[in-house]
Amino acid sequence: LDELERTLSQGVMCNESIAASMRRGSQPARMDARLPRATRRSPSARFRSVKFAILMYAVPSHTRGMTESELDVIARKHAKLRDELTACGELAGGAGLVLPDETTVLRLGPDEPLAGEGPLSGQRDDEEHLTAYYEVGCETLERAREIGAYVLDHHVTAVEIRRIHDTAEKSG
């Protein structure tokens, strides 16, 4: 909890700082300590970015055991991330998901879809399950990895980053 509080209070490092430190031959700050912020992009730059899904995994039994204070720190961390990604034009969407015991799975049946309860994979409460996702538009995979590294903590114990090859966008 203290480490998460420190992360929230440290602020963010911008990409210019990372580039400058790399030109000097030094390593940038740990990616899990600060979220390097992308520079604000022009509207045309948005079309040059690649969309990635940042899939976050947690252990449901751990989530259920978190205190209100711990949950609040996690919520503030993600609110800060969403604000940063929105400000630089990288956030395309995302959501938190209910715990696996509230999941319905549909499978192809002989005549119609068959519905079942529980998650698609991993049936135990002490296994990692998909808990949330962000859809981001980044110029590089490395940038998506920086964002993914930022969300890792005692709650989000694994992150999977996948390039999105097709989207269903609403027309405005």
Side-chain angles (χ1 to χ4, degrees), residues 27-58:
Q27 293 295 317
R30 285 177 33 133
M31 293 304 159
D32 60 349
R34 296 180 182 193
L35 173 66
R37 183 173 34 190
T39 55
R40 189 174 297 274
R41 296 179 297 166
S42 68
S44 63
R46 182 171 190 252
F47 298 105
R48 290 192 302 268
S49 68
V50 177
K51 287 193 177 177
F52 294 94
I54 297 177
L55 308 172
M56 294 167 270
Y57 293 82

Side-chain angles (χ1 to χ4, degrees), residues 91-147:
L91 184 63
L97 305 172
V98 297
L99 291 171
D101 56 356
E102 298 179 52
T103 301
T104 298
V105 175
L106 297 177
R107 294 193 182 272
L108 183 61
D111 299 317
E112 60 184 47
L114 303 174
E117 293 181 8
L120 184 60
S121 63
Q123 299 296 315
R124 296 188 358 229
D125 202 43
D126 61 348
E127 295 176 317
E128 292 172 327
H129 292 276
L130 182 63
T131 189
Y133 69 93
Y134 288 116
E135 182 182 331
V136 296
C138 300
E139 293 183 14
T140 65
L141 172 60
E142 184 57 35
R143 173 63 181 153
R145 290 178 67 179
E146 290 170 352
I147 296 166

